[in-house]
Amino acid sequence: MRYWGLLFFVFFCSASAHAQVWRDYKCFVRDTNNTAWVHLFELNAAREEQAISALTDRFILDSFGQPLARIKTVVECVPLSMAFSSTAARQLDSVTPK
């Protein structure tokens, strides 16, 4: 019985150590028509750089799941509660509905 308890404890600890932590980010992106967007994404915070680079060629979707634009470049991504460093991104963020 002790063996199974210890085995369960080790399994639980190792599983929680590799758990993904998802966080909301707002990203300043440009689409294939060079239009600037501020859009919200839920990204894996443990692999932030890879998650941000994977946004290229993804679609920006409307509230019904229909594509609005295809992302060409990611200029800047920050956690939702943070401010952008770019002035253009901050201005666009101030008028973008959340």
Side-chain angles (χ1 to χ4, degrees):
M1 184 66 167
R2 249 187 196 171
Y3 173 76
W4 290 109
L6 180 62
L7 186 62
F8 177 77
F9 177 75
V10 169
F11 173 77
F12 180 77
C13 289
S14 66
S16 64
H18 291 79
Q20 295 179 348
V21 177
W22 295 89
R23 179 185 285 173
D24 290 327
Y25 287 83
K26 55 186 176 184
C27 296
F28 180 53
V29 299
R30 294 206 176 269
D31 67 12
T32 53
N33 296 324
N34 207 30
T35 303
W37 297 76
V38 169
H39 197 68
L40 304 179
F41 296 97
E42 187 177 35
L43 303 175
N44 184 350
R47 297 179 177 229
E48 183 178 337
E49 288 182 32
Q50 293 92 343
I52 291 170
S53 66
L55 293 176
T56 303
D57 287 331
R58 282 185 51 189
F59 284 99
I60 295 174
L61 305 176
D62 66 10
S63 58
F64 299 105
Q66 299 299 311
L68 296 172
R70 183 183 290 248
I71 298 171
K72 182 179 178 183
T73 58
V74 178
V75 180
E76 182 179 4
C77 284
V78 295
L80 191 57
S81 61
M82 302 285 290
F84 287 108
S85 62
S86 160
T87 304
R90 283 195 308 270
Q91 289 174 343
L92 186 57
D93 185 36
S94 69
V95 296
T96 300
K98 311 255 179 327

